[in-house]
Amino acid sequence: MATRTDAPTRREQILREAARLFAERGFHGVGVDEIGAAVGISGPGLYRHFAGKDAMLSELLVGISGQLLTGARRRLKEVDGAAPEGVLDSLIEGHIDFALDDRPLITLHDRELDRLRDTDRKLVRQLQRQYVELWVEVVRALYPDLTEAAARSAVHSVFGLLNSTPHLTRPGSLPGRATTAALLHRMARGAFAAAGTA
């Protein structure tokens, strides 16, 4: 996924291709043979890595929620003592990396979350709530007049903005990663500033 810079393991390759295929054609529109072919192994060979498609979906959705939370906590430690603007900028940058580099997982979350077992779906929601609350605390440090409820609404709204990238799917619809990242960052900061001055 986007957080790794070294060569992906076979398991990670399988997950990446499963995410892409599930996002393109839906969970039920993809068979294990197709996922296997995408990574150069037989469909039955996938069962050495995963119990089945359900296990892949669970690992993808629980995994990305955990990665977002872990990444945000790491960023907060790295900028500990910085001005509130810098702390918020760091969180925004991390989420933009996700929104641009893991676009299939956004689509997958929107379409397939209800397919998870109850325990996995509850875990995803728990991780997401913790992630949101980290942002709420940072936003309120920068805009102390915001109530918790207003800050939480602003955070969810900014996530909606940043997570809209999968809808920009036409060739050439994104002006380039750096330009898109900078635009998303300005828009996110603008949204928080609007909320903070309302």
Side-chain angles (χ1 to χ4, degrees), residues 10-11 13-22 25-27 30-43 46 50 52-54 56-57 60:
R10 177 50 60 97
R11 188 178 179 86
Q13 290 172 345
I14 293 168
L15 286 173
R16 183 177 297 122
E17 290 304 315
R20 179 183 64 80
L21 291 167
F22 292 159
R25 299 184 0 229
F27 180 74
V30 179
V32 291
D33 289 339
E34 295 165 278
I35 298 169
V39 295
I41 62 176
S42 68
L46 287 178
F50 296 96
K53 287 197 315 177
D54 289 336
M56 291 179 213
L57 182 65
L60 284 165

Side-chain angles (χ1 to χ4, degrees), residues 45-165:
L46 287 178
Y47 293 107
R48 288 196 299 270
H49 302 276
F50 296 96
K53 287 197 315 177
D54 289 336
M56 291 179 213
L57 182 65
S58 176
E59 187 156 334
L60 284 165
L61 295 182
V62 173
I64 194 57
S65 297
Q67 286 178 35
L68 283 168
L69 179 59
T70 300
R73 287 174 172 162
R74 186 190 70 247
R75 284 175 173 271
L76 291 178
K77 285 183 182 178
E78 289 170 354
V79 296
D80 187 35
E85 291 90 344
V87 178
L88 182 57
D89 282 338
S90 183
L91 286 180
I92 292 171
E93 288 165 9
H95 199 94
I96 288 173
D97 285 344
F98 159 66
L100 293 178
D101 298 337
D102 289 316
R103 292 164 68 190
L105 289 176
I106 297 172
T107 300
L108 200 58
H109 180 277
D110 289 345
R111 291 182 186 164
E112 311 291 356
L113 181 63
D114 287 343
R115 296 193 190 283
L116 293 183
R117 294 177 305 176
D118 285 346
T119 53
D120 289 335
R121 189 168 56 252
K122 287 176 182 176
L123 179 55
V124 168
R125 293 301 192 197
Q126 178 185 2
L127 293 167
Q128 290 174 339
R129 281 193 298 272
Q130 292 176 48
Y131 182 61
V132 167
E133 293 312 306
L134 289 179
W135 280 70
V136 168
E137 187 175 335
V138 170
V139 169
R140 292 193 74 213
L142 184 55
Y143 301 106
D145 290 338
L146 272 181
T147 64
E148 278 192 24
R152 197 169 291 112
S153 294
V155 168
H156 281 290
S157 296
V158 167
F159 288 172
L161 166 70
L162 299 180
N163 292 348
S164 67
T165 56

Side-chain angles (χ1 to χ4, degrees), residues 23 103 107 111 164-174:
R103 292 164 68 190
T107 300
R111 291 182 186 164
S164 67
T165 56
H167 303 293
L168 306 173
T169 55
R170 289 180 295 112
S173 58
L174 292 175

